[in-house]
Amino acid sequence: MVTQILTSSLKTLEVLAALADEPRGVGASELARRIGGNRGYVHRQLVTLCAGGWIEQAEDGTYRLSLRVSRLSDAAFTQAGLGHRATAALEELAAEVDETVSLAVLDGDSARIVQRVEVDRLLRVDARIEARMPISDTASGRVLTAWALPHDLDALRDAGVPTATDEELEHIRRDGYALSLPNRLEPTVAVAAPVFDARRRALAALSVVGPMVRFDAEAAAASTLACAARVTAIVSGRR
């Protein structure tokens, strides 16, 4: 028995994919032109996706993906076993720097750990899988916001979520990595670097964290960047 394919669903997915290629949003007419569809039909799809919370309409009338879509990318990261596939690289880094290594993704207003490798040391960092971290002062959160799409960053700020300043984020992008900010309540320090997907969009942040008394985060930046590049190659299918 041949199951009928729902062409309307395929068209809707095509609209979402087209919006994903537009970092600042696009209007209904332009979107219809790009995917070769009827403007009225594409507009109805956009209105439907807005009603479902998957996209949103900006004040200038253009459409863009909503933060709800990020939940799908997080789930895909987990369900596709990408964290598992990257474990070997994380284990090698943990052995090299002798500290805890984690992968985190942007989840709403925080960074969420999805994979972690610990070293067997008496004094170690408690960074449980699924733990959430603020994005303003943690290394992973600062990386994820530094490479976030502009409208996603705007949405976080519009919602009142504290983030690093534009100047700080630009500095992080220039360096290629971020350091955590000092916190008297958490005597640890971390360095994080972005992991990109095949489209060079930040999918996750790879971090190394350890107690301030022994861990030199800046000295570990080169190793962290090298490991993040390796995981990027795994995630994007280049190896």
Side-chain angles (χ1 to χ4, degrees):
M1 180 179 178
V2 178
T3 302
Q4 184 178 3
I5 295 175
L6 297 176
T7 56
S8 59
S9 296
L10 290 178
K11 284 291 185 182
T12 300
L13 293 173
E14 189 177 4
V15 167
L16 285 173
L19 287 173
D21 290 329
E22 295 294 333
R24 297 190 179 278
V26 63
S29 297
E30 176 62 17
L31 185 61
R33 185 188 67 78
R34 294 186 186 186
I35 66 176
N38 176 272
R39 185 199 180 283
Y41 182 65
V42 169
H43 182 259
R44 289 195 296 275
Q45 288 178 310
L46 291 169
V47 171
T48 300
L49 288 168
C50 277
W54 296 104
I55 67 174
E56 57 192 18
Q57 188 174 22
E59 292 182 359
D60 62 1
T62 59
Y63 294 88
R64 60 195 183 193
L65 298 178
S66 72
L67 287 176
R68 184 178 184 183
V69 177
S70 66
R71 294 169 57 190
L72 294 182
S73 64
D74 294 346
F77 188 92
T78 302
Q79 293 177 21
L82 297 178
H84 177 72
R85 289 161 56 193
T87 297
L90 271 62
E91 288 176 341
E92 289 183 13
L93 178 59
E96 178 184 347
V97 299
D98 203 20
E99 297 292 354
T100 298
V101 177
S102 301
L103 277 178
V105 298
L106 188 62
D107 186 6
D109 61 357
S110 59
R112 176 168 55 85
I113 295 176
V114 295
Q115 185 73 343
R116 181 198 62 186
V117 173
E118 287 185 346
V119 291
D120 188 16
R121 298 185 66 157
L122 180 62
L123 181 59
R124 65 184 184 183
V125 175
D126 182 15
R128 296 179 298 276
I129 291 179
E130 296 299 325
R132 292 177 178 272
M133 304 172 288
I135 61 176
S136 59
D137 55 1
T138 62
S140 292
R142 289 159 69 81
V143 159
L144 291 169
T145 48
W147 276 275
L149 292 175
H151 70 262
D152 287 343
L153 182 57
D154 289 343
L156 288 169
R157 288 172 169 172
D158 290 345
V161 179
T163 70
T165 65
D166 288 336
E167 183 179 2
E168 289 173 318
L169 296 180
E170 178 58 31
H171 183 76
I172 290 168
R173 287 189 288 268
R174 284 199 307 268
D175 289 345
Y177 65 90
L179 301 174
S180 56
L181 298 184
N183 186 337
R184 287 180 298 178
L185 299 178
E186 189 70 38
T188 61
V189 63
V191 57
V195 172
F196 297 103
D197 63 16
R199 294 183 179 182
R200 294 299 295 174
R201 294 181 178 178
L203 176 65
L206 184 149
S207 67
V208 182
V209 58
M212 288 182 178
V213 295
R214 67 167 185 243
F215 179 51
D216 186 341
E218 283 198 82
S223 296
T224 304
L225 284 165
C227 185
R230 182 179 172 189
V231 177
T232 290
I234 295 171
V235 169
S236 59
R238 296 201 302 270
R239 58 176 298 172

